[in-house]
Amino acid sequence: DYGEWIETLRADALRSDSPLMQNDERWRFVVRGEAWSALGSRLVDVDLDRLEATAISVLSELDPKLELSEEERLMAPIHGKVLQHSQILRHGLAETLALVGSRPSALRSCSSGNPKATAQRVVRGLLYQAGWERWAGLNSLLPLLSEAAPESFLDAVESVLVDLKTTPFHEIYAQEGKGGITGSTYISGLLWALEGLAWHPDFLSRVTMILADLASVDPGGRWTNRPCNSLADIFLPWHVQTTAPFEKRTAAIKAVLLEHPKVGWVLILALLPNSRSSTSGSHRTTWRELIP
């Protein structure tokens, strides 16, 4: 019962190193990164097994509101088209996976390599060759999933870009709102995830080609979150958003010009200096330290 549970925690919260804080009968956890380092050794392999099963079960659910038309999605709760689990729970699971994959050293009681392997299996299970509904439904969580297992995440994106004529991203672009307050986009999360990984030299080339592939099938729209804009933000000469050396950046742009000449030409023009250039910068990872 709650009363019994709260009395047990109340004594624990008085410890100087407690991860729990209580004020005015409200409970909260300390900064999650600090708690992860302090308490990670308490987790064991069976906890990772439960996390994997729960994450796949919860995050694999397709968003029912995608069954509605664009105009009806704002009223999805009225139509009963809501996810079984809350967005807070879904975000918490994705964030936990990001911590497991990016900070495995805190899990000292787990088998060597198991935390990283767990994150990789979940990301692959959720996204590899997934349909457009899965990508759209996980849109806001994709940056965290990319931090959980960067290589598996990039593998998954590439798996649905093998044939650009049949890629599910055609359908994702088609969901973009045409106007009014009901409009929405389901590509922004993927772009932020790719921008975050592009900070690291080891991922820049793959991210660049993925963005070029996405730009080549982009029909355009009213939203500014577009693959071509992400490419320009990463390579802007006066505000470079990657730690890759000049040679790697040059090689990546040349690869775009070779594979997608039209996209490459647009990118080159965007990188030329002009008096009206501006940028809000690229997305930065939250848990995986890709920027020195």
Side-chain angles (χ1 to χ4, degrees):
D1 293 336
Y2 179 77
E4 193 176 337
W5 178 81
I6 210 69
E7 287 307 315
T8 302
L9 282 185
R10 200 180 300 278
D12 193 64
L14 296 175
R15 289 174 31 219
S16 60
D17 61 342
S18 175
L20 291 168
M21 289 184 286
Q22 188 265 341
N23 183 40
D24 194 22
E25 289 303 315
R26 295 180 181 272
W27 292 86
R28 65 187 181 91
F29 213 63
V30 299
V31 177
R32 193 166 192 193
E34 295 178 8
W36 186 258
S37 300
L39 303 174
S41 60
R42 299 186 180 215
L43 298 177
V44 294
D45 286 340
V46 68
D47 297 312
L48 292 179
D49 293 340
R50 284 198 294 265
L51 171 66
E52 180 178 347
T54 303
I56 291 180
S57 173
V58 173
L59 300 181
S60 63
E61 181 188 2
L62 300 181
D63 193 340
K65 76 176 181 182
L66 296 175
E67 300 171 6
L68 302 173
S69 66
E70 176 192 329
E71 294 76 17
E72 294 176 312
R73 287 175 188 168
L74 198 63
M75 309 293 287
I78 296 177
H79 294 288
K81 298 292 185 178
V82 294
L83 288 160
Q84 181 180 355
H85 303 285
S86 70
Q87 290 293 352
I88 293 176
L89 177 63
R90 289 164 62 86
H91 183 275
L93 283 169
E95 189 174 57
T96 301
L97 289 168
L99 283 163
V100 168
S102 61
R103 301 188 181 184
S105 59
L107 308 184
R108 295 181 293 275
S109 300
C110 296
S111 301
S112 177
N114 194 25
K116 182 178 179 180
T118 298
Q120 290 173 336
R121 287 194 298 270
V122 173
V123 171
R124 181 180 177 86
L126 289 173
L127 298 175
Y128 194 81
Q129 295 185 342
W132 76 268
E133 297 96 337
R134 179 71 55 78
W135 288 97
L138 292 174
N139 177 52
S140 63
L141 304 180
L142 293 179
L144 288 171
L145 294 177
S146 71
E147 292 187 48
E151 293 87 355
S152 297
F153 182 84
L154 294 175
D155 288 344
V157 183
E158 290 167 344
S159 74
V160 292
L161 289 172
V162 173
D163 186 351
L164 294 180
K165 293 182 179 179
T166 61
T167 177
F169 288 109
H170 286 296
E171 190 62 36
I172 292 178
Y173 283 128
Q175 306 304 310
E176 184 171 318
K178 303 296 190 296
I181 61 174
T182 61
S184 57
T185 177
Y186 295 97
I187 196 72
S188 57
L190 176 60
L191 299 182
W192 293 332
L194 293 170
E195 288 174 8
L197 296 183
W199 282 99
H200 199 283
D202 292 348
F203 304 135
L204 178 64
S205 295
R206 293 181 70 182
V207 168
T208 301
M209 291 311 303
I210 288 173
L211 286 171
D213 285 342
L214 292 171
S216 71
V217 298
D218 183 3
R222 68 186 185 92
W223 292 87
T224 57
N225 291 111
R226 314 220 74 85
C228 57
N229 291 338
S230 293
L231 278 171
D233 282 341
I234 292 169
F235 291 103
L236 273 179
W238 53 271
H239 196 257
V240 180
Q241 300 288 280
T242 177
T243 61
F246 179 79
E247 293 75 16
K248 280 199 171 187
R249 303 200 306 267
T250 305
I253 293 175
K254 287 182 177 179
V256 174
L257 288 166
L258 182 63
E259 293 293 327
H260 298 288
K262 291 183 179 180
V263 175
W265 179 244
V266 172
L267 174 59
I268 291 295
L269 291 178
L271 299 182
L272 290 175
N274 67 79
S275 60
R276 296 183 301 277
S277 293
S278 64
T279 179
S280 58
S282 292
H283 173 82
R284 291 171 177 250
T285 53
T286 302
W287 299 109
R288 188 173 287 269
E289 297 176 352
L290 299 183
I291 308 173

